[in-house]
Amino acid sequence: MMTLAVQAKNLQKDFNRRTIFKGISFELGEQRSLVVTGKNGSGKSTLVKIVAGLLSATKGSVEYRTGNTNVSIDDIRDRIGFVSPYLNLYDEFDAVENIKVLSSIRSSSVPTDSAIQTMLERVGIAARARNLVRTYSSGMKQRLKYAVAAIHKPDLLILDEPTANLDEEGAAVVRSFVREQEERGILVVATNDPAEIRWGKIIVRL
Amino acid sequence: MKIVRAGVIILITVAIVLGVSIPMVPKPQSFFEYPIIPGLEEKARNIFFHVPVAWTTVVAFLVSLWYGYRYLRTRDIQYDLKSSASAELGFVFCFLATITGALWAKFNWGSFWNWDPRETSIFVLLLIYGAYFALRSAIDVEETRARLSAVYSILAGLTVPFFIFALPRLVGGLHPGSAGDASGQTPVAQLHMRGLMLLNFFLSMIGFNLLFVWLLNLRVRIARLEYHHSLQSM
Amino acid sequence: MKFQSTYALVMKDVRSELRTRYALNALLMFVVTSVTTVLFALRSDNPSAQLLAGMFWVVVFFTAMSGLSRIFVSEEERGTTLTLRLLTIPSVVFVGKLVVNCLLTLTLTAAVSVLYVWAFPGFAIVSWDVFIATVFLGSLGFASASTILAAIIAKANVRGSLYPVLAFPVLVPLLMTVMNATARALEGETIALAFGDLQVLVGYLLVMTAGSFLLFDYVWVE
């Protein structure tokens, strides 16, 4: 598969007549990680949402390239993984169902049962795999979000508040995903944690 | 815009004065006489107000729709100001058309409301405006409000052909030009209006459309001032 | 068109609905209570076909308005709207939700039909072909207009009361036509006589589906 590159040009976002940020540009290719940081309300989440195609920018653009061809965000939605507090899972399904359902909406390649099992063991919720997500603690939900976001080995992994709600063991799991992503493709992180800011080769301060 | 304003004042004044003062006779001999239209008599004078107002309502709706579409394409909030301003004026004109029409219906057809296809259509248009403003007031974020209200007005606009073509099949019509109307399919303007009456009708038509253009311009300018004022106070 | 993604989305909603009965239970209870109310109101009279056909669609309209917005509102309330937007393209979401809404409206009109035939002796369907065609096309027409409106309403503050307000003007041509055609079915007119009405219903269905398909991108992507 052709490697993915992302280029943001002069991004600006207005919200209710207020400019949140403007003039943001960066270029991300393979093994280049970006950290977005800034105080509360500075638009960290807004910026990573724009990169993931969840929001459109008021001015400027985000361009995606595979190899040398420009592609639209809709062509690469199955190559993105995103973990954040505002991307919820389905409460009425269990962990395995969530992974299967969300993967099959995302693309035609549904992961095998053993791949799901391996992933759930890696994030540490295999024991509760058949319980409804409704019964999970917020930390367990966060772990399951990582399973959903990483099961298809995304070229672009976006993490907003990566270790929110997680204990030390959970944070270690996150660091293993981060290292793996640095090898595989592009990592984008929005955080204010000093240790996590060091993950970025490029740092955008809003 | 000064020319437009002058045009509005002159045209509407002339249309009202001529519309009210010129005598109606069975067989007009001089230029300054109106023909009597059978079945309407003196009530025909309403034609100089009701028809232009109703026509302007449709124009305002289409203008609002067009600016809504422009907003969706460009995401420039200026177009939303124009679209919503046009909708506000369209609502006022729609209301006036309903009132003048209901009065005319009372004296011509016997009751204020008959659910004739065009009466039904203008009632639904009032409901569409009501829904449009209700939707706008229920969304806090300006960009979302502009986007969703534009989509709604276009969606509502898609039903217009059904009111024009499908509705007359379901309910009997009373307006001139309806199927089964004794005077046939041609509009009153071509059939009965002659000379000064026809001229007056078109003067009034242009006058009310210019009135809409002028009011829209005023409303948009006010909205722009408010917009910049709120930008400065932030 | 990503058929497989759309199918997965539909199956997700169907399974979720069967598990939680969020929309279905409310819809069916609403049908029972509103039909009962109509029954109280009309029990002593011998209502005409026109009146019964009208009341049939009154019940369908208000029941649909009570439940159909759930397809998008429930995603918004669970915080899964963004998840769906991340996973797939807008047209998949629209078509998937439209299919689910069609299934819901068909279930709804089937339930109302059964109750009406059972509860009102005057609601005797003579022309079954006209009736079935009307109810089928009418249900799909309802779903086509109400799907995008549900997506709009999910972004507003006062969802419950605003939905019928937005939907009614858009649904007027459909409502007037289905009421007329249903009365024809009760009066025993042939399908040839009702053909004009059915043409209008097909036209409405096509215009609304195509229009909302094109407009949905603007609603879905912020």
Side-chain angles (χ1 to χ4, degrees):
Chain A
M1 194 178 275
M2 303 283 252
T3 55
L4 181 73
V6 179
Q7 187 176 14
K9 287 181 183 164
N10 213 11
L11 291 177
Q12 175 177 341
K13 184 67 183 175
D14 296 351
F15 206 61
N16 259 341
R17 304 183 184 186
R18 242 171 49 96
T19 301
I20 313 280
F21 52 73
K22 62 181 175 186
I24 306 287
S25 301
F26 50 81
E27 198 171 348
L28 301 172
E30 199 176 3
Q31 299 181 6
R32 296 191 75 181
S33 42
L34 169 77
V35 167
V36 183
T37 182
K39 57 182 188 292
N40 296 133
S42 61
K44 295 188 294 293
S45 296
T46 307
L47 181 56
V48 296
K49 278 183 190 169
I50 291 174
V51 173
L54 297 180
L55 268 184
S56 51
T58 308
K59 293 202 178 88
S61 63
V62 183
E63 287 165 9
Y64 308 87
R65 251 187 350 268
T66 57
N68 285 322
T69 27
N70 283 319
V71 291
S72 93
I73 179 74
D74 284 339
D75 299 326
I76 54 158
R77 287 200 184 272
D78 55 352
R79 297 172 69 176
I80 301 177
F82 196 156
V83 178
S84 86
Y86 41 80
L87 292 165
N88 287 342
L89 303 169
Y90 287 97
D91 271 351
E92 67 273 29
F93 294 139
D94 65 33
V96 177
E97 284 170 329
N98 260 295
I99 294 179
K100 280 188 176 167
V101 164
L102 296 177
S103 301
S104 60
I105 294 174
R106 179 163 55 201
S107 75
S108 47
S109 56
V110 181
T112 60
D113 287 345
S114 63
I116 294 175
Q117 183 61 27
T118 314
M119 181 54 86
L120 290 176
E121 276 163 13
R122 182 173 170 193
V123 297
I125 51 172
R128 298 278 303 277
R130 280 299 173 185
N131 294 11
L132 297 188
V133 171
R134 183 173 295 142
T135 66
Y136 283 18
S137 71
S138 44
M140 292 174 67
K141 284 181 186 168
Q142 180 77 352
R143 286 160 183 247
L144 180 55
K145 286 180 186 179
Y146 273 94
V148 172
I151 188 104
H152 61 311
K153 300 190 169 39
D155 295 311
L156 169 58
L157 182 66
I158 304 173
L159 309 175
D160 192 350
E161 298 183 39
T163 46
N165 298 319
L166 289 178
D167 52 18
E168 185 38 50
E169 184 203 302
V173 174
V174 170
R175 285 194 292 276
S176 82
F177 277 115
V178 166
R179 273 194 301 278
E180 193 182 290
Q181 189 63 28
E182 283 168 342
E183 298 293 311
R184 182 168 53 217
I186 306 171
L187 175 73
V188 175
V189 180
T191 185
N192 275 329
D193 185 315
E196 290 166 6
I197 291 174
R198 284 197 290 276
W199 294 346
K201 294 202 174 72
I202 307 170
I203 294 172
V204 170
R205 287 179 204 280
L206 293 175
Chain B
M1 271 304 140
K2 275 182 181 154
I3 301 169
V4 172
R5 187 175 58 187
V8 168
I9 294 168
I10 294 167
L11 286 174
I12 293 186
T13 314
V14 168
I16 290 175
V17 170
L18 292 183
V20 173
S21 63
I22 300 289
M24 288 188 148
V25 297
K27 291 207 183 315
Q29 302 298 322
S30 98
F31 187 67
F32 293 101
E33 284 171 336
Y34 289 155
I36 286 183
I37 298 172
L40 291 179
E41 290 86 34
E42 293 285 334
K43 287 167 284 192
R45 293 182 196 279
N46 196 0
I47 209 167
F48 304 120
F49 311 105
H50 175 64
V51 179
V53 166
W55 176 250
T56 312
T57 307
V58 174
V59 170
F61 182 64
L62 293 178
V63 168
S64 170
L65 229 141
W66 167 248
Y67 282 128
Y69 172 76
R70 294 292 300 151
Y71 175 78
L72 291 179
R73 301 298 299 183
T74 62
R75 302 296 164 109
D76 180 349
I77 202 75
Q78 297 293 330
Y79 288 117
D80 180 59
L81 297 182
K82 289 181 180 171
S83 180
S84 62
S86 186
E88 283 169 22
L89 289 173
F91 179 70
V92 174
F93 278 101
C94 191
F95 189 70
L96 290 175
T98 311
I99 300 289
T100 53
L103 284 173
W104 204 357
K106 172 70 182 170
F107 294 106
N108 243 92
W109 301 330
S111 73
F112 286 112
W113 207 257
N114 309 280
W115 295 110
D116 153 277
R118 281 189 218 173
E119 287 181 329
T120 311
S121 305
I122 204 137
F123 176 67
V124 172
L125 190 55
L126 277 175
L127 290 182
I128 288 175
Y129 280 128
Y132 176 86
F133 296 126
L135 175 65
R136 287 185 74 87
S137 63
I139 304 172
D140 298 327
V141 179
E142 186 171 42
E143 291 84 359
T144 314
R145 178 167 63 225
R147 194 162 48 86
L148 296 183
S149 59
V151 170
Y152 182 70
S153 61
I154 294 173
L155 195 73
L158 289 179
T159 62
V160 167
F162 293 96
F163 286 103
I164 297 172
F165 298 112
L167 205 55
R169 290 186 356 88
L170 296 172
V171 281
L174 294 164
H175 274 84
S178 317
D181 181 55
S183 62
Q185 304 286 328
T186 35
V188 171
Q190 287 166 23
L191 200 70
H192 297 292
M193 292 203 288
R194 301 255 153 68
L196 184 59
M197 193 178 195
L198 195 60
L199 181 68
N200 192 7
F201 175 72
F202 283 116
L203 287 183
S204 179
M205 208 66 159
I206 299 167
F208 275 99
N209 277 294
L210 287 182
L211 177 67
F212 165 70
V213 172
W214 179 49
L215 289 177
L216 180 64
N217 179 265
L218 281 181
R219 188 71 195 80
V220 169
R221 275 158 65 195
I222 293 169
R224 273 200 200 126
L225 286 175
E226 283 170 353
Y227 183 84
H228 289 297
H229 182 72
S230 74
L231 280 187
Q232 276 156 14
S233 62
M234 259 186 315
Chain C
M1 194 63 229
K2 295 183 168 181
F3 178 76
Q4 186 272 336
S5 288
T6 316
Y7 177 74
L9 179 60
V10 172
M11 289 318 290
K12 187 275 290 178
D13 272 8
V14 170
R15 272 169 73 191
S16 162
E17 185 54 45
L18 290 179
R19 196 165 287 184
T20 61
R21 304 281 167 84
Y22 220 178
L24 213 54
N25 277 355
L27 279 181
L28 293 180
M29 280 318 291
F30 206 102
V31 169
V32 171
T33 47
S34 48
V35 171
T36 313
T37 319
V38 175
L39 202 57
F40 285 152
L42 302 178
R43 72 193 145 169
S44 55
D45 291 327
N46 195 5
S48 68
Q50 208 82 46
L51 179 62
L52 280 173
M55 293 314 284
F56 178 90
W57 289 100
V58 168
V59 170
V60 170
F61 173 75
F62 282 103
T63 314
M65 289 304 103
S66 77
L68 291 192
S69 63
R70 288 235 50 92
I71 52 162
F72 280 109
V73 171
S74 67
E75 302 279 359
E76 193 71 27
E77 283 171 353
R78 283 180 292 193
T80 48
T81 308
L82 283 175
T83 311
L84 279 187
R85 195 180 299 160
L86 177 76
L87 293 177
T88 190
I89 57 178
S91 54
V92 164
V93 177
F94 177 73
V95 176
K97 292 295 186 183
L98 178 64
V99 170
V100 174
N101 243 355
C102 286
L103 295 176
L104 276 174
T105 36
L106 286 171
T107 314
L108 163 66
T109 45
V112 179
S113 304
V114 169
L115 274 179
Y116 259 66
V117 169
W118 176 69
F120 296 99
F123 198 82
I125 300 155
V126 185
S127 314
W128 277 96
D129 47 357
V130 177
F131 183 77
I132 289 171
T134 305
V135 167
F136 184 72
L137 291 172
S139 306
L140 298 190
F142 248 96
S144 68
S146 54
T147 302
I148 191 167
L149 291 174
I152 291 177
I153 219 75
K155 296 286 168 204
N157 299 333
V158 278
R159 291 158 186 162
S161 53
L162 197 54
Y163 194 44
V165 171
L166 290 189
F168 182 71
V170 179
L171 286 171
V172 163
L174 179 81
L175 279 172
M176 294 185 80
T177 313
V178 288
M179 283 177 181
N180 196 48
T182 308
R184 285 176 194 271
L186 297 183
E187 284 158 356
E189 292 189 15
T190 60
I191 197 140
L193 280 170
F195 193 65
D197 286 341
L198 298 179
Q199 271 180 318
V200 173
L201 293 183
V202 171
Y204 185 88
L205 177 60
L206 292 178
V207 168
M208 277 300 147
T209 309
S212 25
F213 183 80
L214 293 175
L215 287 169
F216 186 74
D217 274 22
Y218 297 114
V219 178
W220 187 244
V221 182
E222 279 178 40

